[in-house]
Amino acid sequence: MQSRCLYPLILFACIMMLTACSPFEPAARPDAPGELPDGYSLYSVEARSPLPWWDEMGSPELNRLIDVALTDNFSLSESWSRLQQARAAAVQAGAGLYPELEAFGSAETTRKDTAGGSSGSVGNQSYELGLTASYEIDLWGRVRSQREAALLDVKATEADLHAAAVSLAAEVALRWVQILSQRLQKQLLEKQLSSNSTFLELIELRFRKAMVSALDVYQQKQVVENVRAKIPLVEAEIQLLMHELAVLLGRPPKSNLKLNQKTMPTIGQLPPLGLPADLLAARPDVRAAGMRLQAADWQLAEARANRLPALRVGAGAQYGPEELDLLFDTWLLSLAANLTAPIFDAGRRAAEVDRIQATVDENLWAYRRVVLTAVKEVEDALEREIRQREHIEALKAVMTAAQRGFEEALARYRRGLSDYLPVLTQLIAVQDLERDMIEQREALVRYRIGLYRVLGGSWAGMSDTNSIDRSPEVAGQG
């Protein structure tokens, strides 16, 4: 009896030793492709702030908008659902590492009438209880490879979620900045309309005194109406941007978003950038590409192991009322094992290995492309912001010259030394430059938001997804 009780322990030890064999486990890959540059054209060695980048904008209004978007945005909720799907798939993939146990039972009652008997009928009752168990011994690591690939898919989906949050925060900030810019444009147009109307009144007064021609009146009136015609377009753009922002926040288009800020945010110096290698951890899209490459490696290991024999063990026991006292002696007798090996499948399994090998190559090239694209995007963002600052400084000089030219042309016109055309030309130039300055300052803020976006980071505030381990909740203990 004691020796028979040792059989399960011996069998379990053999299974564990066989399962430890994983000849197709993928080899480790380097953390980064060798084409990464040593540094950016401009970078600092200071550590990046752990706080959200939008705090640097100094706007409580923007903070509130992004917090709402990260909570209520529909697209982000879709990404959360995809993450839950990946987690469930990982649980399914890891289930093969454990035995499958099923119980069954049946009960039957029969009653037979006796012909001419005094008792009337004879009854009979029976029941059965049983257990069946099955388990695949993971000889070549097929099931383990399947689980590892599923876990990496979970982490890749988590990185996709972070990437969606990064993009969402940037999109909210961009819409908010554009709304501010359009509101400033409207204020400027209203101010220009007022000043141009004042000039028109003065010219009409001079015309009534026969000091100027009707052409001067018509030219100035054209300037007034041109500015007036721009205001409805700006108002429409404000409303369209408000609608887009409301949808990003998970709100109906006509919702009151309570946007009260009147000035464009002021951005400081360039933030600490670190090194290009830092993007491998900071950029969620890079992390996702790396995880999918590793998952493809494990899928290849699974396909190779699937070409080899599979060993499955099973146990079953069935008991009636008189057999319950033999429960622990009987189950060993029903233990069985079967070995299945592929002999001919017309090349299906070999073709699957070739297909997944090509998938691995595809993911490898995709990973390299994503990494180099990330470095390029940082360099592009740096170049845009640096050149934009230079452009704004040059535009200020142009503005100063145009303003002085307008003042001089107006003085000459008032003294009768020139007609109204030089005044009109300079007036239009100054007002165009004023509107352009607002656009260029908006572009500078947008470029800074773009820089924060391409630098990535784990600031999205989703700590729930920062540590997905191989717990029983996900795919069974490793």
Side-chain angles (χ1 to χ4, degrees):
M1 178 68 181
Q2 293 179 350
S3 61
R4 299 180 72 180
C5 292
L6 291 176
Y7 292 162
L9 297 177
I10 296 173
L11 180 62
F12 181 75
C14 293
I15 290 174
M16 290 298 100
M17 288 188 291
L18 289 171
T19 305
C21 302
S22 299
F24 299 116
E25 182 174 335
R29 292 184 179 273
D31 293 335
E35 299 86 352
L36 279 180
D38 295 331
Y40 301 114
S41 55
L42 287 175
Y43 72 94
S44 62
V45 296
E46 296 142 3
R48 295 182 60 183
S49 172
L51 298 176
W53 59 260
W54 50 85
D55 281 353
E56 298 186 16
M57 296 289 184
S59 172
E61 183 173 277
L62 178 60
N63 295 349
R64 173 179 59 83
L65 293 174
I66 294 180
D67 289 343
V68 171
L70 292 177
T71 303
D72 298 337
N73 178 261
F74 297 144
S75 297
L76 200 61
S77 297
E78 293 174 14
S79 297
W80 272 107
S81 298
R82 285 191 289 270
L83 178 58
Q84 298 303 319
Q85 295 172 38
R87 284 173 168 169
V91 172
Q92 292 176 333
L97 292 172
Y98 300 91
E100 184 176 346
L101 183 64
E102 295 181 349
F104 64 90
S106 65
E108 182 178 1
T109 300
T110 60
R111 186 169 296 276
K112 182 178 180 181
D113 293 333
T114 58
S118 59
S119 61
S121 64
V122 176
N124 183 30
Q125 293 183 346
S126 65
Y127 64 87
E128 293 179 342
L129 297 175
L131 293 173
T132 60
S134 62
Y135 178 63
E136 177 182 348
I137 300 175
D138 199 16
L139 291 174
W140 321 112
R142 184 189 68 83
V143 180
R144 176 172 176 259
S145 298
Q146 186 179 39
R147 182 200 60 173
E148 293 293 336
L151 288 173
L152 288 165
D153 281 338
V154 172
K155 291 184 177 294
T157 308
E158 173 193 349
D160 290 339
L161 174 61
H162 287 171
V166 170
S167 296
L168 175 62
E171 289 299 322
V172 170
L174 287 174
R175 297 298 184 279
W176 176 73
V177 168
Q178 289 173 318
I179 290 171
L180 285 179
S181 176
Q182 291 301 313
R183 286 180 170 179
L184 292 174
Q185 288 281 7
K186 182 182 177 182
Q187 292 177 7
L188 178 61
L189 286 171
E190 291 172 346
K191 178 182 176 182
Q192 290 177 350
L193 179 61
S194 175
S195 62
N196 289 340
S197 298
T198 300
F199 278 122
L200 178 60
E201 292 174 358
L202 294 175
I203 293 172
E204 288 176 340
L205 179 60
R206 291 169 65 89
F207 172 72
R208 288 193 293 269
K209 294 181 178 180
M211 300 176 63
V212 297
S213 66
L215 179 60
D216 293 350
V217 176
Y218 291 136
Q219 287 177 331
Q220 183 60 28
K221 188 173 184 60
Q222 180 181 352
V223 173
V224 170
E225 297 305 326
N226 184 47
V227 172
R228 194 193 308 275
K230 294 180 185 296
I231 294 178
L233 299 179
V234 173
E235 291 175 339
E237 186 66 20
I238 292 173
Q239 290 304 313
L240 294 178
L241 290 169
M242 292 285 285
H243 296 168
E244 292 180 10
L245 181 57
V247 172
L248 288 175
L249 301 182
R251 302 288 188 270
K254 285 293 185 180
S255 299
N256 182 10
L257 302 182
K258 300 179 181 179
L259 303 185
N260 301 315
Q261 185 159 330
K262 304 296 184 183
T263 59
M264 192 72 68
T266 302
I267 61 174
Q269 298 300 316
L270 289 172
L273 306 177
L275 298 173
D278 297 336
L279 288 177
L280 302 182
R283 283 278 294 254
D285 58 335
V286 175
R287 295 200 306 271
M291 294 297 176
R292 289 193 169 92
L293 173 58
Q294 296 178 42
D297 283 334
W298 281 105
Q299 290 169 359
L300 180 60
E302 176 192 355
R304 288 173 173 170
N306 199 39
R307 300 186 65 189
L308 298 177
L311 179 61
R312 294 177 176 86
V313 295
Q318 182 173 329
Y319 309 99
E322 70 282 358
E323 296 172 318
L324 290 178
D325 57 339
L326 302 176
L327 176 63
F328 294 101
D329 291 336
T330 306
W331 77 275
L332 287 174
L333 299 178
S334 64
L335 185 64
N338 64 83
L339 181 68
T340 59
I343 296 177
F344 178 75
D345 62 1
R348 179 176 61 84
R349 289 180 174 85
E352 180 66 8
V353 172
D354 294 339
R355 185 189 70 82
I356 297 182
Q357 179 63 64
T359 302
V360 171
D361 295 339
E362 177 188 2
N363 281 275
L364 176 60
W365 293 116
Y367 176 64
R368 292 178 174 176
R369 172 182 55 78
V370 169
V371 170
L372 292 185
T373 300
V375 177
K376 168 192 170 294
E377 288 175 348
V378 174
E379 288 287 3
D380 290 348
L382 288 172
E383 188 68 19
R384 287 193 189 98
E385 179 168 337
I386 292 170
R387 301 309 172 193
Q388 185 67 17
R389 289 180 182 273
E390 295 176 357
H391 176 64
I392 289 175
E393 291 301 318
L395 200 61
K396 289 179 181 178
V398 176
M399 176 78 74
T400 301
Q403 186 66 39
R404 291 176 179 174
F406 170 71
E407 293 172 356
E408 180 64 22
L410 185 60
R412 290 176 58 84
Y413 175 72
R414 286 173 174 171
R415 293 196 300 267
L417 300 178
S418 67
D419 57 17
Y420 191 65
L421 182 59
V423 178
L424 185 64
T425 301
Q426 290 301 122
L427 176 63
I428 294 175
V430 169
Q431 294 185 350
D432 286 345
L433 285 170
E434 288 175 342
R435 294 193 292 268
D436 188 36
M437 181 64 75
I438 293 176
E439 294 178 359
Q440 298 308 318
R441 286 174 174 163
E442 175 204 338
L444 179 61
V445 179
R446 287 193 286 107
Y447 293 156
R448 171 56 63 87
I449 294 172
L451 176 60
Y452 286 127
R453 183 178 193 169
V454 299
L455 286 175
S458 59
W459 37 259
M462 291 177 293
S463 58
D464 292 343
T465 65
N466 286 339
S467 57
I468 299 179
D469 56 18
R470 299 171 189 173
S471 62
E473 181 183 358
V474 176
Q477 292 180 353

